[in-house]
Amino acid sequence: MSTPDFIPLSSDPNPSEDHQSRPKKRKFQHPKKTPDEVKQIKMGRQKRRARLIIRNIPLKSTQTNLMEHFSKFGKVEELNILKKADGKLVGCAFVQYEKVNQAAKAILMCSGKEVLGRTVYVDWAIGKDQYNKQKRKTNVQVKEDPDAVEIKTENDVDDVSIKSEDDDDEEMDSDDDTKDIKMESDSEADDESKKTIKKRSNDVSEGCTVFIKNVPFEATDDDLMQCCKRFGAIWYGLITKDKVSGHSKGTGFVKFKNKESANMCLNAGTELRLFNQVLDPCLALSRQDVLSKTQESKRKEVADSRNLYLSKEGVIMAGTAAAEGVSVSDMAKRHHLERVKNQMLKNLNRFMAKERLTVHNIPDNFDSAKLRKVVETHTKLKPKECRVMRENKPSMGQPLGASKGFGFLSFKNHETALLCLRKLNNNPNVFGKNNRPIVGFSIEDKAVHNIKQKRLEMSRAKNPTCHVTTDKKGNKSKQKESKELKLGTKKPKEKKLPKNITNAPVESFAGLAAEQGPDVRARPKWKLNEEAQTHKTDVKAKKRDQKKLREKIMLNKEKRQVDRTKNKRKGNEVDNFSFMVDKYKRLIDSSNGSGPAKRVKKSKWYTE
């Protein structure tokens, strides 16, 4: 037989056999792990979740000191302090807790706080892969050893170079951790160790740095440097960028080598252009100067010429101590008046008076004299004006006109008016518990106020008893002609109110205390409706509780009454039985001759 001209490429000795019947070649597989090994790996992973790294630890710390401190937050299974080959501490340690919540508590209570006289920073220990992903976000300088990296953070903590921990589940021993992790601290006194010193430049104090505004958003650092090079040599040019988006903020810094160049740039004016856009240069300030300027600008509040902050004085909020005992009808009146007040203050010619008050919810039988008497008794302050507003037309039983339910009070100064408001507003002892006074500063019209002032000046000028003289400076002063002044005696001085009455504590029923400031926002209608609803539910709940309490008291009373009657009946039965026994004993003894027989008195069945 002749040999075939070709050799089959298949290694199958029977090429004529069907390929489907042959067994497929299996890929190489790792040996399967036993259930115990899988369980052990899972437990190891779970444990590593409760592993912490402590940076910047004191170089004099020991195993016992650290164990004593960190065991306060939970059971410490392992504590490993990293050391160099010569036995010196690196400045970091690993702590393994039993549970994750214990580790979280240690981070919360220890990170950024002093431990053994030094501020430490505690964080979760992460694996090598995760660490390599995070290192792109920080400023990383790779050393000769590929596993050891030097991280420079922006915080004021010591710069530390860390070799990340390998996240292999099989490496659980502390010896492996010392091999996988390398950490160097700046605070070491060794000259051999490399230190990364953070230099602080004196750019602002030198006066060579210029802050430039109105920089085009598409400009780069090189564009800014090329634009400012004509004034002199430059150290650097930087455009400020947003931390989150990375886009330009439209400002930048340029540092010149000479102060003369910086002055030329500042005096350039409209000649300083970039991409046909005029730049606005100004001298750079230090961080402290910027902070002080921002604080000063916050302190300088916009003058509130309309005194709108007084509209918040005495407001009763639902759910507060002042709202306790306020009826639903009174709260509804308050919300209605607040809506009217907001509508009136939309007119820019209206303002809040500082010395005049409005009093609402006045009873119908009150007149001006009665209101004045009530105010003086409850506040011990004498108002300059006290008026109850009435209808122009007389009605049945009201010849002067029916009361409108509100009035006005005016005082000499703002402090007395504020004190009167806080003593009268929402006070249940003035008009009654269910009819409390609603007091607030009145809203005045500027035009009407000016007319009143002119009328007052004209009346003073025409009044012969009102003597007004002018000083050399032109200030007007009234001459008080009285017997005391003529005799040379002086009147007793009136008690002056404290100047800080605006910051005085407010009584529980008085309401809110207004804070002076430009940002005064009126509460919208939906908010007032919502507050009215919450107050209504609170009042209903309180009434329900009071009803339950009354029912409970009544039940206890009835129970005590029933117990008394039962005890009384029991006592009467016992007494009657004993009395009858004694009576029959005496009768038996008398019939036997042991004693004299006594006639028993019989009661009459008729009345004489």
Side-chain angles (χ1 to χ4, degrees), residues 150-421:
E150 181 176 310
I151 301 172
K152 292 184 180 179
T153 59
E154 294 178 0
N155 299 331
D156 294 335
V157 297
D158 297 333
D159 297 333
V160 179
S161 63
I162 307 170
K163 182 181 176 183
S164 65
E165 184 183 2
D166 192 4
D167 197 16
D168 193 1
D169 298 324
E170 296 176 0
E171 296 176 2
M172 295 291 288
D173 297 330
S174 61
D175 296 335
D176 296 336
D177 292 336
T178 54
K179 291 177 184 178
D180 290 342
I181 297 163
K182 181 182 179 183
M183 183 175 286
E184 295 177 6
S185 177
D186 291 323
S187 59
E188 294 186 27
D190 260 350
D191 295 332
E192 297 176 358
S193 62
K194 294 181 180 180
K195 297 180 181 179
T196 55
I197 301 169
K198 190 176 181 180
K199 294 183 180 179
R200 293 186 178 180
S201 61
N202 298 321
D203 297 355
V204 177
S205 60
E206 291 171 2
C208 300
T209 309
V210 179
F211 179 68
I212 300 175
K213 303 176 187 176
N214 203 27
V215 179
F217 293 109
E218 63 271 15
T220 60
D221 297 344
D222 295 334
D223 297 333
L224 189 61
M225 288 176 70
Q226 289 295 330
C227 178
C228 298
K229 262 186 181 179
R230 55 182 172 171
F231 301 111
I234 293 173
W235 283 111
Y236 61 81
L238 293 173
I239 290 175
T240 55
K241 295 182 180 180
D242 188 63
K243 290 182 180 179
V244 180
S245 63
H247 297 302
S248 171
K249 289 184 177 180
T251 57
F253 290 93
V254 176
K255 184 182 179 182
F256 294 92
K257 289 188 177 180
N258 299 320
K259 194 174 182 180
E260 292 78 10
S261 304
N263 293 333
M264 287 172 65
C265 180
L266 291 170
N267 298 325
T270 57
E271 295 179 4
L272 188 61
R273 289 172 175 267
L274 181 61
F275 298 156
N276 294 326
Q277 190 168 328
V278 179
L279 305 181
D280 183 15
C282 57
L283 195 65
L285 299 174
S286 64
R287 190 181 293 274
Q288 291 180 354
D289 294 341
V290 172
L291 289 172
S292 62
K293 276 197 171 187
T294 52
Q295 287 174 0
E296 284 177 7
S297 63
K298 286 180 181 178
R299 285 173 190 169
K300 288 180 182 178
E301 296 177 345
V302 181
D304 185 13
S305 58
R306 298 172 64 197
N307 305 323
L308 295 178
Y309 71 97
L310 293 175
S311 63
K312 297 288 182 184
E313 184 70 40
V315 174
I316 305 295
M317 302 288 289
T320 58
E324 289 182 5
V326 180
S327 62
V328 178
S329 60
D330 278 7
M331 188 61 79
K333 285 179 187 176
R334 283 183 174 276
H335 290 155
H336 173 68
L337 289 170
E338 193 169 350
R339 288 193 204 99
V340 173
K341 189 190 295 181
N342 296 339
Q343 192 66 29
M344 290 175 71
L345 288 172
K346 286 181 181 179
N347 188 349
L348 299 179
N349 289 324
R350 289 173 181 157
F351 64 95
M352 301 295 296
K354 281 191 168 184
E355 295 86 13
R356 204 170 186 221
L357 302 174
T358 55
V359 184
H360 287 268
N361 223 7
I362 299 173
D364 297 335
N365 60 341
F366 268 64
D367 56 357
S368 299
K370 200 170 182 181
L371 180 63
R372 183 186 287 273
K373 190 176 180 181
V374 166
V375 170
E376 287 178 359
T377 52
H378 285 89
T379 62
K380 297 180 181 177
L381 299 170
K382 291 184 178 181
K384 190 170 68 175
E385 175 199 2
C386 183
R387 186 187 303 173
V388 176
M389 303 306 293
R390 294 183 174 276
E391 298 285 349
N392 293 329
K393 295 179 180 181
S395 60
M396 187 67 69
Q398 297 287 346
L400 299 175
S403 174
K404 290 184 178 180
F406 70 94
F408 292 95
L409 297 171
S410 61
F411 295 87
K412 289 182 179 179
N413 49 25
H414 173 62
E415 285 75 15
T416 49
L418 185 61
L419 190 62
C420 179
L421 185 145

